Amino acid sequence: MNNKVYIYTDGACSGNPGPGGWGAILVSGAHEKELSGGEIDTTNNRMEITAVIKGLEALKRPCDVVLTTDSKYVVDAITQGWAKRWKANNWMRNKKDKAQNPDLWETLLKLLEIHNVEFVWVKGHAGHKYNERCDRLAVNYYMQLKK
């Protein structure tokens, strides 16, 4: 793997649940690609995870990735090993609480077997150029859904 790609992601939701959107920007050298999408009835966390999945799915071959997001939920679930533990425990967080979004975590864990991903957390709405752009992509998408 020698293709280094920077992926920036964000998710947004109007109401939780409600209409939601996600945005991802892939940067490789001088090339940038914007992606966005959404769902009419979703949650913010689902949109955050979906943005990461869609960014990684857009890669055409295995890559070294630096993935930047403002979602502590996503970063911690991967870097702290929560998602792998939930999966090993049949998608249970503990003996009585189900893990949320197992369908998305399952997909993300499979993608992480293909790509070498370093997760980076940034504070949201704090002026990070790409995070702000991803937020606009996500919000613009769900605003279209609300019409």
Side-chain angles (χ1 to χ4, degrees):
M1 284 191 266
N2 58 5
N3 300 352
K4 188 146 201 172
V5 178
Y6 295 85
I7 300 178
Y8 303 89
T9 67
D10 198 16
C13 201
S14 177
N16 204 17
W22 58 266
I25 302 171
L26 287 70
V27 180
S28 180
H31 304 283
E32 289 188 7
K33 181 175 186 173
E34 290 185 350
L35 307 169
S36 63
E39 298 176 23
I40 194 70
D41 187 32
T42 190
T43 65
N44 188 70
N45 282 341
R46 285 189 69 79
M47 292 294 91
E48 295 282 4
I49 303 165
T50 299
V52 173
I53 290 168
K54 295 300 186 181
L56 292 171
E57 285 179 341
L59 300 173
K60 293 177 174 44
R61 59 186 163 276
C63 294
D64 288 322
V65 177
V66 177
L67 194 139
T68 302
T69 177
D70 64 6
S71 174
K72 283 292 276 177
Y73 175 59
V74 170
V75 171
D76 289 349
I78 298 301
T79 63
Q80 303 295 317
W82 302 347
K84 283 184 178 177
R85 268 196 308 281
W86 299 333
K87 181 179 179 180
N89 292 326
N90 202 27
W91 298 109
M92 295 295 289
R93 287 181 46 231
N94 53 47
K95 290 187 184 207
K96 60 181 182 168
D97 297 322
K98 289 182 179 179
Q100 299 297 307
N101 309 306
D103 56 329
L104 297 177
W105 290 121
E106 183 78 43
T107 300
L108 180 53
L109 289 172
K110 286 179 183 170
L111 288 165
L112 295 177
E113 293 174 6
I114 298 169
H115 306 288
N116 178 33
V117 182
E118 173 190 348
F119 283 82
V120 176
W121 178 79
V122 294
K123 183 172 175 49
H125 308 286
H128 185 283
K129 176 175 108 172
Y130 286 107
N131 182 255
E132 297 291 341
R133 278 178 58 193
C134 287
D135 181 66
R136 283 192 300 278
L137 289 169
V139 170
N140 288 343
Y141 200 94
Y142 82 64
M143 292 301 286
Q144 296 300 313
L145 291 174
K146 289 173 71 170
K147 290 184 178 181

